[in-house]
Amino acid sequence: MLNAEKRKTFLLLIPVVLVLVAYVLYPSIETLFESFKKNGIFSIQNYTDFFGPKAEANLEALWNSVYISLLSVFFSALIGVPLAYIFNRYNFPGRQFFSNIAIMPIVLPSLVGVMAFMFLYGEAGLVPNFIRDLFNLSEVPFSIGGVTGILLVHAYTMYPYFYMTTSSALNNIDPSLEEAAYNLGSSKFKVFWKVTFPLLTPGLVAAALLVFMVSMASFSAPFLLAGGYRVLSLQVYFSKINGDLEMAATQSVILSVVSISFLLFMRWYQGRKDYRMASKGIGAHRSEVNNPVLKWTMVTLGIVAMIVLLLPHVTLLILSLVPEGAWTWQTYPTNFSLENFILLFEDPNIWDPVRNSLIMAFLACIGVFIFGIITSYALVKRSFIGKNLLDILVMIPWALPATVVGMNLILAFNESSPFSFGNVLVGTFWILPLAYFVRFIPLVVRSTTAVLEQMDDSIEEAAQNLGAKWFYTFRRVVIPIIMPGVLSGTLLAFVQAVGEFPTSVLLYTIGNRPISIEIMNQLRMFNIGQAAAYGMIQVGLIAIVMYASYKFFGVKAENTL
């Protein structure tokens, strides 16, 4: 017979294991099996085709994906880390305002960000044409596109991950460590390189992983900006729409192997040294910038950076005010109205994608909220055989690109199974909420686990010693303590789900198409104003959630990573 504690652990683990096996492990295994089929027969032909002499397109796409992702990590770090260091270590006029503006790109979903950059810096974009007219040039001086365009969009939308994780790490460094190095005669550069930078490593590794995974799954930037430029996420999509699910499965497996290999490499790199501090200081100390020339140079640079960072948002707003058919041959839009927003609220068909996104994101977040609490508590506060395996299963959706998660669900649930209660989920409304749920499990589990690890076991034991039942203690003591961590992960999941595009483009139907898909549809019909209006709705929803999370729950953006 099991004792009381083991029985509680067993009961906690039953739903956790069932969910992970049914919606994470089983779909991944189905994709792996599918990749070894050719015309329904077991074969390695798909891998031979992928790596063989006739597979130049696949190998080119694989190399391009890795190449773009590594460069995205580099450029995002090149922008995010220095910005975080300047804003967290130096005090100058407007510092707090500029530091808040620095995270603005995070409210732009990937597709919306690409759209804004197209109309801002593309060949027909506002900025190149403005410069051409200003200097009376015969043609536009520049336009983004190809690899340069992809990297520019990636660096802009992804550097906040480095900025926020570095900011959080800098604020947790004990100032006395750096002061001791200065007192021993070290230069500022040497102190940064030998003391500060190594302590930032865990945060930098986390940001690098996130940027690499997002870049590997990037769909909208290559699709809209680079034309025929091949990346593996697009190859998976094209194989799927061409009906070649076996090759799509093979490409998904290759994409998974690359992403998981990078994850393991970064974990190995982080694990080479111990980055813990023996003491905790009073927090980061900011140096006052007293040199007038340096001070106002930093203020000027801050203003210029603010303008550059906010231009995509302003462009999106301007485009959303352009009525349908009012901007055709003109260089700049000249007619503005609220027509696109009025249609959103008057025409049910136009409002449907907004409603779908809200409902599906809400359903997914309810799931990850409950699942995250139970799973995190089991991983941190319970002892059982297979804990490391369970932790790996939880993190698999984090390691896999969004397109792979989508393909996994297609191959697992395009026919009835016990895990879909005998129904075919592909082609139904429920496949997208399930996809969002699976994609964002790690966000909630990781943020909740971080809080639970800081909670002293004696708090729970004290409540039980006073006669409280376990469930009462869990509900009235544990949950209130861990709620900030749960909410931070859940709110980030909601923000990501509202703007999710790579998974949605593989799984959506007419009945559940989300905002991101409708934006793409409107762009295809050259209805720029309506596409931008949908984009503004997405940005507004994300901004409201982030503001509410900070105002009412005290959850800052950097705490959600």
Side-chain angles (χ1 to χ4, degrees):
M1 290 291 290
L2 296 173
N3 62 35
E5 287 303 310
K6 287 185 177 179
R7 188 166 59 251
K8 291 171 188 173
T9 303
F10 181 73
L11 291 174
L12 274 174
L13 289 175
I14 288 175
V16 172
V17 172
L18 281 176
V19 168
L20 291 175
V21 168
Y23 306 115
V24 176
L25 185 61
Y26 167 67
S28 299
I29 292 173
E30 280 290 306
T31 300
L32 181 62
F33 283 167
E34 188 73 17
S35 71
F36 284 103
K37 291 179 182 178
K38 191 68 177 178
N39 299 323
I41 301 171
F42 180 83
S43 170
I44 61 169
Q45 187 61 45
N46 292 317
Y47 290 95
T48 303
D49 292 342
F50 188 98
F51 292 106
K54 298 180 181 179
E56 184 179 345
N58 284 324
L59 291 175
E60 181 186 347
L62 175 60
W63 165 246
N64 288 345
S65 294
V66 176
Y67 170 73
I68 289 291
S69 298
L70 291 175
L71 285 179
S72 297
V73 171
F74 174 75
F75 287 117
S76 297
L78 199 63
I79 298 170
V81 176
L83 277 182
Y85 192 82
I86 291 169
F87 288 143
N88 287 276
R89 288 304 175 89
Y90 297 99
N91 206 13
F92 54 91
R95 182 200 65 81
Q96 184 61 51
F97 177 73
F98 295 142
S99 66
N100 290 334
I101 293 296
I103 66 168
M104 285 300 291
I106 205 168
V107 305
L108 278 180
S110 59
L111 179 61
V112 174
V114 173
M115 180 176 67
F117 267 75
M118 282 174 55
F119 291 106
L120 192 57
Y121 302 114
E123 189 173 356
L126 300 176
V127 171
N129 280 282
F130 175 76
I131 294 174
R132 183 198 62 186
D133 294 344
L134 182 65
F135 295 101
N136 198 27
L137 303 175
S138 59
E139 57 185 27
V140 293
F142 69 90
S143 64
I144 65 168
V147 177
T148 305
I150 296 172
L151 290 175
L152 185 63
V153 171
H154 281 190
Y156 174 84
T157 55
M158 297 177 194
Y159 88 80
Y161 298 127
F162 276 98
Y163 174 78
M164 291 188 289
T165 54
T166 304
S167 296
S168 180
L170 282 169
N171 288 326
N172 288 327
I173 292 177
D174 188 341
S176 64
L177 297 174
E178 294 170 317
E179 290 168 6
Y182 286 128
N183 292 337
L184 291 171
S186 296
S187 64
K188 285 189 175 181
F189 177 78
K190 193 170 184 180
V191 171
F192 175 80
W193 188 248
K194 294 291 187 179
V195 179
T196 309
F197 187 77
L199 292 172
L200 297 178
T201 299
L204 295 178
V205 168
L209 278 171
L210 185 55
V211 171
F212 186 87
M213 301 305 178
V214 174
S215 299
M216 284 294 289
S218 179
F219 185 94
S220 48
F223 189 66
L224 293 176
L225 291 175
Y229 190 76
R230 292 188 177 96
V231 293
L232 210 48
S233 57
L234 282 180
Q235 292 295 101
V236 173
Y237 171 72
F238 291 139
S239 294
K240 186 260 181 182
I241 62 173
N242 289 330
D244 192 353
L245 291 183
E246 292 167 348
M247 179 51 71
T250 306
Q251 292 161 338
S252 297
V253 170
I254 300 296
L255 195 55
S256 303
V257 169
V258 173
S259 297
I260 292 173
S261 297
F262 185 78
L263 170 66
L264 295 175
F265 171 77
M266 295 303 286
R267 284 195 167 186
W268 167 82
Y269 179 81
Q270 181 179 345
R272 294 184 309 157
K273 295 180 181 179
D274 188 352
Y275 301 99
R276 290 174 295 181
M277 291 176 287
S279 62
K280 177 69 175 72
I282 58 174
H285 172 71
R286 296 187 185 93
S287 302
E288 193 72 35
V289 180
N290 295 317
N291 186 310
V293 176
L294 183 58
K295 178 190 293 185
W296 292 109
T297 299
M298 293 178 78
V299 172
T300 303
L301 289 174
I303 293 171
V304 172
M306 178 190 69
I307 293 171
V308 172
L309 289 174
L310 291 180
L311 264 178
H313 303 76
V314 174
T315 301
L316 195 65
L317 177 61
I318 291 172
L319 294 177
S320 70
L321 299 175
V322 177
E324 183 178 358
W327 187 19
T328 52
W329 55 268
Q330 301 93 335
T331 304
Y332 312 103
T334 55
N335 189 10
F336 302 98
S337 76
L338 295 174
E339 176 186 310
N340 296 313
F341 292 99
I342 292 171
L343 285 173
L344 273 172
F345 295 98
E346 285 187 347
D347 190 333
N349 293 326
I350 295 178
W351 177 253
D352 279 349
V354 180
R355 188 198 65 212
N356 290 340
S357 284
L358 288 173
I359 292 173
M360 292 188 295
F362 181 72
L363 290 172
C365 286
I366 290 177
V368 292
F369 178 86
I370 298 170
F371 184 80
I373 292 175
I374 299 172
T375 306
S376 300
Y377 184 83
L379 286 172
V380 177
K381 298 298 182 182
R382 295 286 166 175
S383 297
F384 54 91
I385 298 171
K387 182 182 284 192
N388 288 334
L389 177 60
L390 186 69
D391 192 34
I392 291 170
L393 279 176
V394 166
M395 294 307 295
I396 282 178
W398 173 265
L400 299 181
T403 44
V404 174
V405 173
M407 278 307 307
N408 288 352
L409 293 177
I410 288 173
L411 294 168
F413 299 115
N414 61 355
E415 56 186 28
S416 61
S417 77
F419 301 128
S420 60
F421 305 101
N423 298 309
V424 176
L425 293 184
V426 175
T428 70
F429 175 88
W430 298 102
I431 191 68
L432 267 184
L434 176 62
Y436 297 162
F437 167 77
V438 172
R439 283 272 291 131
F440 305 125
I441 283 173
L443 294 179
V444 181
V445 172
R446 199 176 73 155
S447 63
T448 307
T449 298
V451 180
L452 271 170
E453 286 175 342
Q454 296 174 341
M455 191 185 85
D456 195 328
D457 291 341
S458 62
I459 296 174
E460 195 175 355
E461 291 169 3
Q464 292 179 357
N465 290 338
L466 291 171
K469 299 287 187 181
W470 174 82
F471 183 72
Y472 183 86
T473 303
F474 181 74
R475 182 168 55 88
R476 298 299 298 271
V477 178
V478 177
I479 289 181
I481 292 174
I482 67 174
M483 191 54 68
V486 182
L487 286 175
S488 66
T490 304
L491 291 169
L492 181 59
F494 183 86
V495 165
Q496 297 282 339
V498 166
E500 175 63 35
F501 181 65
T503 309
S504 302
V505 78
L506 289 170
L507 296 170
Y508 83 96
T509 66
I510 295 298
N512 71 350
R513 69 192 188 283
I515 301 175
S516 55
I517 297 301
E518 191 59 27
I519 289 173
M520 179 64 76
N521 292 338
Q522 295 296 332
L523 286 175
R524 284 173 176 163
M525 295 186 291
F526 300 100
N527 193 355
I528 298 165
Q530 195 65 64
Y534 279 120
M536 285 302 299
I537 294 292
Q538 268 189 323
V539 170
L541 288 171
I542 292 170
I544 289 169
V545 169
M546 293 182 68
Y547 175 77
S549 67
Y550 172 70
K551 188 73 174 176
F552 300 108
F553 306 113
V555 177
K556 294 184 179 180
E558 56 264 31
N559 294 333
T560 62
L561 291 176

